[in-house]
Amino acid sequence: MGERWCAAVRVLLLQAAWALAGGQVRYSVPEEAKAGTVVGRLAQDLGLEAGEAEARRLRLVAQGRRASVEVSGASGALVVSSRLDREELCAKSAPCALRLEVLVERPLRVFHVELQVTDINDNAPIFPAARRNLSIAEFTTLPGSCFPLEGASDADIGANAQLSYTLSPSEHFSLDLQKTEEDGESLFLVLRQSLDRETIPVHRLVLSASDGGRPSLTGTMELVISVLDVNDNMPQFNQSVYKVQLPENAQHGTLVARLNATDLDEGSNRNISYSLQILFPQDGRDVFGIDKSSGEIRLKGDLDYEDVSLYRLQVDATDKGTPPLSGHCKVVLEVVDVNDNAPEVRVTSLSVPVSEDASVGTVVALLSVSDRDSGANGRVRCWVWPASPFGLEATFAGSYSLVLREALDRERVSEYEVEVRAEDGGAPALRASRGLRVPVSDVNDNAPAFSQAVYTVLARENNAAGAELARLWARDPDEAGNGRVSYSVWEGGAAAVSSSSSSGAGAGGWRPASSYVSVDAESGRVWALQPLDYEELQVLQFEVRAVDAGEPPLCGNATVQLFVLDENDNAPALLPAAGSAPEAGGAAGEAAAAAGLGSVSDTLWAWAAWGAQAGQVVAKIRAVDADSGYNAWLRYELWEPRAKGPFRVGLYSGEVSTARALDEADGPRHRLLIVVRDHGEPARSATATLSVSLVEAAEAALAAGSSSSSSRAALGAEMGPGAASAATNVWLVVAICAVSSLFLLAVVLYGASRWAPRAAVLSGPGPTTLVCASEVGSWSYSQRHSRSLCVADGAAKSDLMVFSPNFPPPPPGPAPKDTQPEPSALLDTVSGPSFAHLSLFSPPSVSSAVCPEQSLLGSRPNCRGPSAAGA
């Protein structure tokens, strides 16, 4: 009991001591201790009595890994049970402490034991590899060059791991050990002098590492240093400069050149890689490409000779040595021009419109012609199409002038479409063209021209004032004001007026044409200012002037021949005989007026002898008509007595003759009512009363001789038919002589007009005809003119009919709507029996009137510019 109490006290004391000591027991044992080596008296240190360790079952708690120590059951000592290897247990950690748990049962207690394993020098230094191969180039590696080496490692710690290095003797290499706080130790192999592969191709050295243990342990590594061949031969090209030509239209991928470089070195030093550099131009990097292995240069972009005609390339051949060496060559690529650019035609200056009076050689336009190609491909030939009236003149290289080669006429061509064509000298040739529009400006170089030189106008007399007589038109091919025509009557024109004019002129003379007609300034219409009277005026000839509005103005003239056509406005007029008895004719006149037979003259007296045979002329009724043609062609009719009487009247002669033999049964006196009618529409008439007395033959002759106022008809009745025929023949001879004289005068004047300046155009070409009609004699040309053309036994007669000849065709070109009708529409054909023809007018070239007494027109007015057509 006392012993147990003592034991309990010891345990309490041990616990208190353990508590004071931190509750742990520390032991130290060197590594590699043999099995059975006592580490410490664990039971005693825990305060157990001898024999209690086994009784209380003192043991170690199993750990996660196998323990190298154990508790001896009998003695309670901690002994080594297996090999202790600090490097295996703790590697490089220091200190190396093992924590053990000790379990005591009855009562259960747990104690902690710390076992520290101390290091011994049991590991030699070890290099990563037994051999290290190095390659160092000859000559190129400079002395002092350092080559890093991996140092050895030692599993021990502390002084046992402190290493020192040594190198086998060598005159070329040495060691350099550098220690820094950041990197620790760094080992370098230092080249002391240059290597020569030809002398020592391989250097073999031994690197030794010794630790600081006692005794020290050593580890070695063999260094095999191969001396590398120096890349002292650079690649060489067989040419320093390659010259290549390539057309500019070459396709992508075309082989430009194949280069070859050689290297005298061996191995990688002779393996060559090619590279390409563009020296000129700088922006041509994407045009060419090179194969790095074969050295083939191929086209990968577009060539354009006009942009770049020459490329300079540099090719580098670089070997794969260390360091690599390069060889160089140049490639000069000349781009060959191809005719791929058409000529270009540009207008630098254009002077339009061109005046139609521009002189030959006037420059119309300046042109610039170029071709981006070179050589023959860039030589350009130019011409103008169509060739006239323009041409090209070269001023200097590439510049041309479009000049006028011929005179222009706007009225013929008002605008030109000119095409300048260019062609280069390539094969095939390329062409270009440029069109120019050259308008021609107008110049007042054309005078107004009438469609006819002479206009023949027919107008019936007694027309209304203001009636349109004709419509003239003058063509002026100029434009605008130069072609705007105004018309006027030349004031110098004049017309011959008859002295027997019914208008009361009183005496013959000349009157200006402007008093009869006027011309509308714009339309060219000819108007009548007053009614025309054929008996006053048969022919009105005047000139119309057409003037344009140009500057200066030009004018043209046309002659207008106005022929007044006769109307049946005059009744026949009887010529009274002296000794007539007015009182006797009063009753007959009243009877004739009541019968509607027109005017009645005084009674005419005639005598007839008893026993006169049939057909003997007793008297002749004389009558005149102021009209002409059919209107003046008279016929005589016996109105009373209507029954068969002893007398009859010649239908056209007016001769009163016996119808049968007269006898006393017929009575002493006969009154004859004779009607004289013209052939007009409507017909006009006059009546004559003839009182015929039947007497003896001797009395009839006496009455004829004593009567101073007896008519020519009575004398003819007394003289008989033979005497009357003789008188008529005399007058016919006189008329023939007068006509012949007039014809000779016309021939002389015509010849003179051919050699003298022209004053006025009187007529269109061709003859104009005078018509006179009578059975018993020819009428005179005019009783109002000084020359009598035809003479009969009666009074002089005025009778004129004019027919226009054919007209020249109108000028080419369209005529305006107000152009006068064709001349043929204005002419009336007059026909009738017994017409005598006389030429009145000469052709248009005659400069004076046919009539010997006077000229119908004065001189032509002077106009600037070319004369009108037919002037």
Side-chain angles (χ1 to χ4, degrees):
M1 184 72 180
E3 293 178 356
R4 292 182 178 180
W5 184 80
C6 291
V9 171
R10 281 199 302 270
V11 169
L12 292 175
L13 291 174
L14 287 173
Q15 289 179 349
W18 181 267
L20 292 175
Q24 288 185 351
V25 177
R26 291 183 177 87
Y27 298 103
S28 176
V29 60
E31 64 174 336
E32 301 296 336
K34 295 180 179 181
T37 301
V38 177
V39 177
R41 296 178 178 180
L42 180 59
Q44 184 178 355
D45 294 335
L46 292 178
L48 297 179
E49 293 290 340
E52 286 184 348
E54 184 176 2
R56 298 186 63 179
R57 300 184 66 182
L58 178 65
R59 57 184 178 86
L60 291 176
V61 177
Q63 300 293 326
R65 57 184 177 176
R66 184 179 65 85
S68 298
V69 293
E70 62 181 7
V71 177
S72 174
S75 61
L78 184 64
V79 297
V80 177
S81 62
S82 60
R83 178 178 174 267
L84 287 174
D85 188 355
R86 191 201 66 82
E87 289 75 24
E88 181 181 355
L89 295 175
C90 298
K92 297 293 285 185
S93 299
C96 180
L98 300 179
R99 296 183 179 277
L100 306 176
E101 289 185 355
V102 180
L103 183 62
V104 178
E105 296 181 357
R106 300 175 187 173
L108 182 60
R109 297 284 306 276
V110 176
F111 299 95
H112 294 278
V113 177
E114 181 178 314
L115 178 61
Q116 183 174 0
V117 180
T118 60
D119 182 51
I120 64 174
N121 191 20
D122 59 345
N123 291 283
I126 299 175
F127 285 93
R131 176 183 293 181
R132 169 73 184 276
N133 295 321
L134 295 177
S135 296
I136 301 176
E138 60 176 339
F139 300 118
T140 58
T141 306
L142 300 178
S145 299
C146 297
F147 302 93
L149 299 176
E150 293 184 7
S153 60
D154 196 322
D156 298 325
I157 61 174
N160 295 331
Q162 297 295 324
L163 303 180
S164 61
Y165 297 93
T166 58
L167 184 66
S168 58
S170 174
E171 61 181 353
H172 296 91
F173 298 96
S174 63
L175 289 177
D176 183 17
L177 181 63
Q178 299 178 2
K179 295 182 178 181
T180 60
E181 294 181 358
E182 296 80 4
D183 298 335
E185 293 182 353
S186 298
L187 182 63
F188 295 93
L189 180 64
V190 180
L191 180 65
R192 298 177 60 185
Q193 63 181 22
S194 298
L195 302 178
D196 186 359
R197 189 187 67 83
E198 289 72 26
T199 303
I200 304 176
V202 178
H203 292 263
R204 298 181 180 273
L205 303 176
V206 176
L207 176 62
S208 299
S210 300
D211 59 22
R214 291 181 182 275
S216 85
L217 300 177
T218 302
T220 60
M221 179 177 65
E222 183 181 11
L223 298 178
V224 179
I225 303 172
S226 299
V227 181
L228 300 179
D229 182 33
V230 174
N231 190 21
D232 52 354
N233 292 288
M234 64 182 61
Q236 294 291 332
F237 289 93
N238 52 2
Q239 291 179 229
S240 60
V241 177
Y242 293 83
K243 293 185 177 181
V244 182
Q245 289 185 339
L246 200 64
E248 62 175 327
N249 61 349
Q251 302 296 321
H252 292 185
T254 301
L255 178 63
V256 178
R258 181 180 286 108
L259 308 181
N260 183 30
T262 58
D263 196 323
L264 300 179
D265 294 326
E266 295 182 351
S268 61
N269 293 336
R270 65 180 305 168
N271 295 333
I272 298 175
S273 175
Y274 298 92
S275 61
L276 179 65
Q277 297 181 9
I278 306 296
L279 299 180
F280 177 84
Q282 296 297 326
D283 56 352
R285 301 183 181 276
D286 298 331
V287 180
F288 304 97
I290 190 170
D291 190 302
K292 295 183 178 180
S293 300
S294 64
E296 292 182 350
I297 301 177
R298 293 188 179 273
L299 185 67
K300 67 175 184 178
D302 295 328
L303 297 179
D304 191 350
Y305 173 86
E306 290 70 36
D307 291 339
V308 181
S309 61
L310 186 69
Y311 287 88
R312 291 188 177 91
L313 315 177
Q314 177 177 306
V315 179
D316 296 338
T318 305
D319 59 25
K320 297 183 179 179
T322 304
L325 299 180
S326 300
H328 313 283
C329 75
K330 291 184 179 180
V331 178
V332 178
L333 175 63
E334 180 182 354
V335 182
V336 179
D337 183 43
V338 176
N339 192 25
D340 58 344
N341 291 280
E344 296 181 2
V345 181
R346 296 182 297 275
V347 179
T348 58
S349 178
L350 181 62
S351 179
V352 292
V354 180
S355 176
E356 64 175 324
D357 63 348
S359 60
V360 175
T362 300
V363 178
V364 177
L366 298 179
L367 305 172
S368 175
V369 181
S370 61
D371 194 318
R372 297 182 64 194
D373 297 322
S374 62
N377 298 332
R379 287 193 293 269
V380 181
R381 181 175 64 93
C382 299
W383 69 95
V384 176
W385 187 90
S388 61
F390 301 98
L392 283 181
E393 290 184 359
T395 53
F396 50 90
S399 295
Y400 295 86
S401 296
L402 182 67
V403 298
L404 191 62
R405 292 282 177 84
E406 300 175 5
L408 299 177
D409 186 359
R410 190 205 65 83
E411 290 70 37
R412 184 172 60 89
V413 181
S414 61
E415 183 175 279
Y416 290 89
E417 292 292 339
V418 181
E419 188 175 274
V420 179
R421 297 181 175 181
E423 179 182 76
D424 60 24
L430 298 180
R431 297 176 178 86
S433 63
R434 177 65 182 269
L436 298 176
R437 188 178 65 87
V438 183
V440 181
S441 61
D442 184 51
V443 173
N444 192 25
D445 57 346
N446 291 277
F450 288 92
S451 58
Q452 300 174 213
V454 178
Y455 289 86
T456 300
V457 180
L458 304 181
R460 296 187 180 275
E461 64 174 333
N462 303 320
N463 61 298
E468 181 179 341
L469 302 178
R471 185 173 300 179
L472 278 63
W473 176 70
R475 179 178 179 270
D476 193 327
D478 296 325
E479 65 178 356
N482 296 333
R484 190 167 56 250
V485 179
S486 60
Y487 304 88
S488 62
V489 176
W490 179 52
E491 292 298 333
V497 181
S498 173
S499 60
S500 60
S501 172
S502 61
S503 62
W510 293 90
R511 292 180 60 182
S514 59
S515 63
Y516 291 97
V517 295
S518 67
V519 178
D520 186 84
E522 294 184 359
S523 65
R525 296 179 178 179
V526 181
W527 309 95
L529 296 179
Q530 63 182 16
L532 300 177
D533 187 0
Y534 174 83
E535 288 70 37
E536 175 190 349
L537 177 69
Q538 289 82 39
V539 181
L540 176 62
Q541 190 163 300
F542 58 92
E543 284 197 6
V544 175
R545 174 186 291 180
V547 182
D548 60 28
E551 184 61 37
L554 301 179
C555 67
N557 300 321
T559 300
V560 179
Q561 293 178 347
L562 177 63
F563 293 94
V564 182
L565 300 180
D566 182 45
E567 292 285 340
N568 192 25
D569 58 346
N570 292 282
L574 297 173
L575 298 178
S580 61
E583 67 281 357
E590 293 175 2
L597 299 179
S599 64
V600 179
S601 68
D602 296 338
T603 302
L604 303 178
W605 297 91
W607 292 265
W610 296 102
Q613 299 299 318
Q616 183 175 354
V617 176
V618 176
K620 183 174 182 178
I621 304 301
R622 296 180 299 173
V624 295
D625 196 318
D627 298 321
S628 64
Y630 276 95
N631 297 329
W633 187 19
L634 304 180
R635 62 182 179 179
Y636 301 86
E637 298 177 1
L638 183 61
W639 185 263
E640 290 183 1
R642 292 185 179 274
K644 293 183 179 180
F647 299 98
R648 61 184 177 184
V649 178
L651 181 61
Y652 295 108
S653 64
E655 292 179 346
V656 179
S657 61
T658 58
R660 54 181 172 80
L662 299 177
D663 54 21
E664 294 181 357
D666 291 327
R669 178 175 297 180
H670 293 268
R671 291 184 180 273
L672 305 179
L673 184 59
I674 300 172
V675 178
V676 184
R677 298 179 185 272
D678 58 25
H679 283 72
E681 288 292 338
R684 293 179 179 267
S685 63
T687 60
T689 303
L690 178 63
S691 178
V692 181
S693 299
L694 300 181
V695 296
E696 296 295 334
E699 293 180 1
L702 181 62
S706 62
S707 177
S708 59
S709 61
S710 62
S711 64
R712 186 168 299 178
L715 290 176
E718 180 183 64
M719 296 172 62
S725 299
T728 302
N729 290 337
V730 172
W731 287 110
L732 288 175
V733 171
V734 174
I736 292 173
C737 292
V739 171
S740 300
S741 300
L742 182 61
F743 174 76
L744 291 177
L745 181 61
V747 171
V748 172
L749 293 177
Y750 175 77
S753 67
R754 299 293 291 179
W755 301 99
R758 299 167 60 186
V761 177
L762 302 180
S763 171
T768 306
T769 306
L770 172 68
V771 180
C772 302
S774 177
E775 284 189 351
V776 296
S778 299
W779 295 341
S780 66
Y781 162 67
S782 175
Q783 64 184 8
R784 292 180 289 275
H785 293 278
S786 62
R787 180 175 294 274
S788 178
L789 301 181
C790 305
V791 181
D793 54 356
K797 175 76 171 76
S798 172
D799 192 1
L800 178 64
M801 291 190 68
V802 180
F803 295 91
S804 175
N806 295 330
F807 285 85
K817 295 181 179 180
D818 57 351
T819 303
Q820 74 171 54
E822 290 294 328
S824 60
L826 299 176
L827 300 180
D828 294 333
T829 303
V830 181
S831 62
S834 303
F835 286 97
H837 300 278
L838 176 65
S839 176
L840 177 63
F841 294 111
S842 63
S845 58
V846 179
S847 60
S848 61
V850 174
C851 300
E853 294 83 10
Q854 56 198 357
S855 174
L856 296 181
L857 287 178
S859 60
R860 181 185 303 275
N862 294 326
C863 297
R864 297 187 62 182
S867 61

